[in-house]
Amino acid sequence: MTTDYAKAREVAEQARETEWTRPSFGRQLFLGDFRLDLVHPAPRLSEEEVKKGDHFLRVLRTFLQEKVDPALIERTAVIPDEVIKGLAAIGAFGMTIEEEYGGLGLSHLYYCRALALVTSCSPALSALLSAHQSIGVPQPVRLFGTEEQKRRFLPRCARGEISAFLLTEPDVGSDPARLSTTAVRDGDDYVINGVKLWTTNGVVADLLVVMARTGAKISAFVVEADAPGITVEHRNAFMGLRGIENGVTRLHQVRVPAENLIGREGQGLKIALTTLNTGRLSLPATCVGAAKWATKIAREWGRARVQWGRPVGEHEAVARKVAFISATAYAMEAVVDLVGRLADDEHNDIRIEAALAKLYGSEMGWQVMDELVQMRGGRGYETAESLHARGERGVPVEQMLRDLRINRIFEGSTEIMHLLIAREAVDAHLSVAGELIDPKADLRAKGRAATRAGAFYARWLPGLVTGPGQMPTSYAEFGPLARHLRYVERTSRKLARSTFYGMSRWQGRLEHRQGFLARIVDIGAELLAITAVCVRAQEDSAEFGLKPYELADTFCHQARARAEALFDRLWENTDAQDVRLARRVLDGRYTFMEEGIVDPSLEGPWIASQRTGPATFDDVHRRIG
């Protein structure tokens, strides 16, 4: 009998891209093969693309400075209509849409830079724009839609009709096998029924991408938000991003023309994952904007605030924070810029690089802002409005911290990203030896797998012994940063050996060693960041001299220390004890610890039930249609 876990795993596997038809820097990195040639020199945009991108950034900056009041958005939890209309007028809703369909046709690089710029002003505003373009209607229709669909929907999106992506359900997070929304064919239509949760932009959307089950598999549809039977029942409120229009949407007997099916039946999850290959870059791009802003505030506050006779930034305890914030911001931007340029170049498979960028950007962005709060002390915890009301500069550090927190959950939580990246990182091993550890494989299949594995490892393992990283003259063109690239080369081989040891030790149980896999991925993320920052610094040195090398060198030392700590914890950790204790906690063994408290939670089920049928009037936040 197939278990629920096996079913969920099978669904996820079916949605994966299984072929590697283009080279991948990230894939080779995890295999111990440091292919610097795949990212250096980094691909360059044409002069026309640069000119177009720079022009839009100037227009966007002027609009943000003159027309947007971020404090008003934070205070009212609403993005004013005139701001949305103004963004539409300058083309901000069509940044990623080709010019032939009415968009700006910006590169991934400039789209990411635009989102970083918007985030520095208002993270809620960048969430609106990125949800619309990165995961909303434009991206899946651009990638999988018919020409007729592109001409019907893309011009509307470019003009400012807002789109939303509806996948998550009250009982469905990262496990799509549990999806319960259905789409049943009825003549020339599909009839959709279900409830969707956390629909960013869904409260104000004009167009929706809806994921629904068509038989045993999941399909994707473009749905008009004013179609009869669609009801927005509730607008959700969060600890941050207070201006986003995120809600609960019910679909009851919603008729959707069959021509609105994106791709083929059963392609829904594949469409979602492929969309996210580049769509995920939007989140680390927003983190870059916040981190660069944090660098500015850390510099200004570090000089202005004097304690014990010196500016606080000169005291070692605070200086370490300034160094971490500034060096990390530079590296985060280097990663996003590099992966964005690889995406524009279209010669590389960037599924691992984009996922690493999302993972690294969201985690490091959160740490950067947390350190800035600590550096600002009580003023970091106080709201900008309160600071301003008592006569000081209203710096919204606590707001930025709250706003950034969701990025560790949005579009794949950190824990899920670890597993997704780890699956791709070990794909080469599973391709040759997977049947050896598959309990369903028969003896003949295991024999074939053993032969393939023997041939693969006979070639692969000897290559992990030595490499350019052991030669003191390697990567000399990078000057003072060459030693860090030699470290990446050596460490990528060490990482590959560690992965192999883990597979040999745990075999099929490796997928359940999530702590081990997470550390493997985190080491890979640090190696990608070191590579990106070295490539970026060498490029920037033509304009800024030694300054980029100084930032990059400090970052590389910080990243190497983190990587070495992760290596130490691969084999010496408390994972087994933690799992054992967690099971006992869940079993109620230690409820005596919970005495002496009051639980302020409001009454209700842990997960809301999904009623069938239309909502009652009292349930409705806003009725559409």
Side-chain angles (χ1 to χ4, degrees):
M1 179 177 176
T2 305
T3 64
D4 288 343
Y5 173 80
K7 288 179 181 178
R9 188 178 184 278
E10 182 179 356
V11 169
E13 276 296 304
Q14 289 173 351
R16 282 186 62 249
E17 290 184 68
T18 57
E19 299 296 324
W20 294 87
T21 58
R22 292 175 294 170
S24 166
F25 174 82
R27 183 173 189 258
Q28 296 308 121
L29 187 73
F30 282 107
L31 283 171
D33 180 18
F34 179 47
R35 290 287 306 278
L36 183 61
D37 61 295
L38 294 178
V39 296
H40 174 72
R44 289 184 176 274
L45 297 176
S46 68
E47 186 176 337
E48 180 182 351
E49 288 175 308
V50 171
K51 184 178 180 180
K52 180 169 61 174
D54 285 339
H55 171 73
F56 178 71
L57 290 183
R58 289 192 296 270
V59 172
L60 180 61
R61 176 183 291 275
T62 299
F63 177 83
L64 294 172
Q65 291 174 330
E66 296 180 357
K67 303 297 184 181
V68 178
D69 182 353
L72 177 67
I73 295 174
E74 174 69 7
R75 184 167 60 252
T76 63
V78 173
I79 298 172
D81 287 342
E82 57 268 25
V83 171
I84 294 177
K85 292 176 182 176
L87 287 169
I90 65 173
F93 284 95
M95 287 185 279
T96 64
I97 297 172
E98 292 84 352
E99 292 179 276
E100 63 182 297
Y101 302 114
L104 297 180
L106 294 185
S107 63
H108 288 96
L109 176 65
Y110 275 95
Y111 173 56
C112 289
R113 289 181 178 177
L115 290 179
L117 177 60
V118 175
T119 301
S120 66
C121 175
S122 169
L125 209 53
S126 65
L128 166 73
L129 293 172
S130 64
H132 166 73
Q133 290 170 95
S134 297
I135 58 175
V137 170
Q139 190 71 347
V141 169
R142 286 178 62 243
L143 294 175
F144 292 92
T146 64
E147 183 60 30
E148 192 273 337
Q149 288 174 334
K150 293 176 183 178
R151 297 199 177 278
R152 281 175 58 204
F153 298 122
L154 294 183
R156 293 173 58 184
C157 293
R159 288 195 300 267
E161 292 193 40
I162 298 171
S163 68
F165 177 72
L166 278 62
L167 170 63
T168 304
E169 298 177 1
D171 198 29
V172 180
S174 301
D175 181 3
R178 299 173 65 90
L179 195 82
S180 62
T181 296
T182 59
V184 179
R185 187 69 182 259
D186 182 20
D188 293 333
D189 297 333
Y190 285 88
V191 179
I192 300 181
N193 286 280
V195 178
K196 296 295 185 178
L197 176 63
W198 296 325
T199 59
T200 300
N201 291 354
V203 178
V204 295
D206 302 287
L207 289 169
L208 313 170
V209 175
V210 178
M211 295 290 172
R213 187 174 294 283
T214 49
K217 295 185 178 181
I218 297 167
S219 301
F221 301 86
V222 178
V223 180
E224 299 283 352
D226 62 355
I230 295 183
T231 304
V232 177
E233 296 187 344
H234 179 72
R235 185 192 181 207
N236 302 319
F238 302 101
M239 68 181 285
L241 296 181
R242 289 178 175 170
I244 63 171
E245 299 285 352
N246 179 298
V248 178
T249 300
R250 179 176 299 278
L251 300 99
H252 176 66
Q253 295 293 300
V254 178
R255 300 192 74 85
V256 179
E259 63 196 33
N260 285 22
L261 172 70
I262 306 175
R264 301 187 305 274
E265 273 199 10
Q267 272 194 306
L269 285 182
K270 181 178 180 63
I271 289 170
L273 290 177
T274 304
T275 296
L276 285 172
N277 278 346
T278 53
R280 279 198 177 100
L281 286 178
S282 63
L283 287 187
T286 63
C287 294
V288 166
K292 294 180 73 171
W293 176 82
T295 301
K296 179 178 185 292
I297 299 303
R299 173 180 59 82
E300 294 175 347
W301 178 246
R303 288 176 60 86
R305 177 63 163 168
V306 176
Q307 293 283 276
W308 304 99
R310 301 166 65 191
V312 292
E314 295 182 9
H315 293 285
E316 183 177 296
V318 179
R320 292 174 60 241
K321 299 182 187 303
V322 175
F324 170 74
I325 291 170
S326 56
T328 303
Y330 185 63
M332 287 168 60
E333 185 173 35
V335 170
V336 172
D337 271 22
L338 177 60
V339 181
R341 289 159 75 169
L342 291 174
D344 289 323
D345 187 55
E346 296 184 346
H347 284 98
N348 291 272
D349 187 323
I350 64 161
R351 74 183 86 159
I352 290 180
E353 293 87 339
L356 285 173
K358 189 275 177 186
L359 171 69
Y360 197 74
S362 58
E363 287 294 320
M364 300 306 285
W366 167 258
Q367 291 181 40
V368 161
M369 205 56 62
D370 186 58
E371 291 286 34
L372 184 62
V373 169
Q374 190 69 20
M375 184 178 169
R376 285 273 289 163
R379 289 173 175 83
Y381 194 67
E382 189 174 0
T383 68
E385 194 169 33
S386 176
L387 287 163
H388 186 66
R390 62 180 182 80
E392 291 192 3
R393 182 176 175 183
V395 185
V397 176
E398 61 83 30
Q399 179 201 327
M400 278 288 190
L401 184 73
R402 289 187 286 102
D403 288 347
L404 282 185
R405 184 58 182 83
I406 189 58
N407 291 326
R408 298 177 64 209
I409 301 171
F410 259 167
E411 296 180 23
S413 69
T414 291
E415 292 73 22
I416 292 300
M417 295 307 298
H418 277 141
L419 298 181
L420 288 176
I421 297 167
R423 173 62 185 86
E424 301 296 353
V426 300
D427 184 60
H429 301 282
L430 294 179
S431 296
V432 298
E435 289 179 310
L436 277 174
I437 58 177
D438 184 355
K440 294 185 294 184
D442 58 28
L443 289 177
R444 181 176 297 180
K446 288 182 182 292
R448 290 194 301 267
T451 301
R452 289 196 305 270
F456 173 77
Y457 290 118
R459 296 190 308 270
W460 180 68
L461 286 171
L464 301 181
V465 179
T466 61
Q470 292 166 293
M471 299 174 60
T473 58
S474 294
Y475 315 113
E477 67 270 28
F478 286 85
L481 301 180
R483 56 181 170 172
H484 299 305
L485 291 176
R486 291 195 291 270
Y487 172 82
V488 173
E489 196 281 330
R490 295 193 305 273
T491 307
S492 68
R493 288 186 280 111
K494 180 180 178 181
L495 182 63
R497 292 194 299 269
S498 298
T499 305
F500 176 73
Y501 297 153
M503 291 190 64
S504 302
R505 178 175 176 178
W506 293 302
Q507 299 183 35
R509 302 188 305 278
L510 178 63
E511 65 179 311
H512 300 293
R513 297 285 175 170
Q514 295 175 359
F516 176 85
L517 293 173
R519 294 179 192 108
I520 289 289
V521 170
D522 285 340
I523 293 168
E526 295 289 1
L527 299 184
L528 171 64
I530 292 172
T531 304
V533 82
C534 290
V535 171
R536 174 69 180 271
Q538 189 198 47
E539 189 174 293
D540 285 351
S541 66
E543 182 177 358
F544 302 110
L546 291 176
K547 298 172 187 176
Y549 285 120
E550 294 163 1
L551 283 165
D553 182 60
T554 297
F555 170 78
C556 289
H557 281 292
Q558 295 171 352
R560 289 171 63 165
R562 290 190 294 267
E564 290 305 309
L566 288 165
F567 270 117
D568 290 342
R569 292 176 57 211
L570 279 178
W571 313 108
E572 298 292 332
N573 54 66
T574 62
D575 292 350
Q577 294 93 323
D578 293 344
V579 170
R580 183 166 58 248
L581 181 63
R583 287 173 179 162
R584 291 171 176 171
V585 171
L586 296 176
D587 287 341
R589 183 177 178 85
Y590 310 119
T591 53
F592 64 88
M593 289 181 53
E594 299 165 18
E595 296 175 4
I597 63 169
V598 173
D599 184 353
S601 304
L602 304 179
E603 290 298 319
W606 284 104
I607 299 171
S609 62
Q610 298 187 42
R611 302 183 308 276
T612 59
T616 64
F617 179 79
D618 290 339
D619 292 331
V620 178
H621 167 73
R622 171 184 153 198
R623 184 179 294 277
I624 301 176

